[in-house]
Amino acid sequence: MVASLHFFGAGIYKAINSQQGSMIYLSDLPTGALAHVSSFLAAPSRALFAVAINSRDSSSAVVGNQWDVLDFGEIEKDLAAKISDDDIRGVLLSIDAVNNLKKLRLTNCINITGVGLEPIRGSTIIQQIDLSLVGDHESPELDPEPPISCAEVIPILDSII
């Protein structure tokens, strides 16, 4: 069997068997295999992977339960720059951030408005949220200016304090 793996956006992965022309979705693989593959990924990538496979049974096994810190600075800068508010929301929900997450760093997540932070509203666990959007020792000057919005973020932060 000759197969190739393709990413079609919105978390849709397909393995295409070139001999038969049939499609096998990544989410159709056994949960144990998905969990094993994800164990080689950085924590934010593992959470994004869980959101992408979009299967409740598989995503909990893939994402795991050790989520004290979520630092998007651990993934490639180009990937972090493409992350949307929907992606952030999906990740925070998949890791049950309101009950687990102590530290959140949005390093290089320059395309978010902040609305994706809604799942941490009212958290009594979270201790630190770094909204700087740039890595350590990097210039805080971004061009174009990121769309992050005080109107979206401040009410969420107020609910945590």
Side-chain angles (χ1 to χ4, degrees), residues 47-115:
L48 287 166
F49 182 65
V51 170
I53 60 173
N54 201 21
S55 166
R56 187 172 293 255
D57 296 334
S58 296
S59 65
S60 61
V62 168
V63 78
N65 57 9
Q66 297 298 316
W67 286 99
D68 292 341
V69 176
L70 178 59
D71 182 356
F72 285 95
E74 294 178 5
I75 62 175
E76 292 181 27
K77 189 173 186 175
D78 290 344
L79 175 59
K82 294 176 185 175
I83 291 175
S84 69
D85 282 290
D86 287 341
D87 297 325
I88 295 289
R89 180 184 179 282
V91 166
L92 294 175
L93 288 171
S94 74
I95 66 172
D96 190 20
V98 73
N99 295 310
N100 293 314
L101 194 62
K102 293 181 181 176
K103 182 178 179 182
L104 173 63
R105 292 192 71 206
L106 297 171
T107 308
N108 299 319
C109 296
I110 58 172
N111 277 325
I112 63 168
T113 63
V115 71

Side-chain angles (χ1 to χ4, degrees), residues 3 11 18 28 32 35-36 42 45 53 56 64 96-98 113 118 123 133 137 139:
S18 61
D28 293 336
H36 180 70
S45 294
I53 60 173
R56 187 172 293 255
D96 190 20
V98 73
T113 63
E118 187 65 34
S123 174
L133 306 183
H137 313 294
S139 171

Side-chain angles (χ1 to χ4, degrees), residues 9 104 108 122 148 154 158:
L104 173 63
N108 299 319
I148 196 156
I154 289 177
D158 282 343

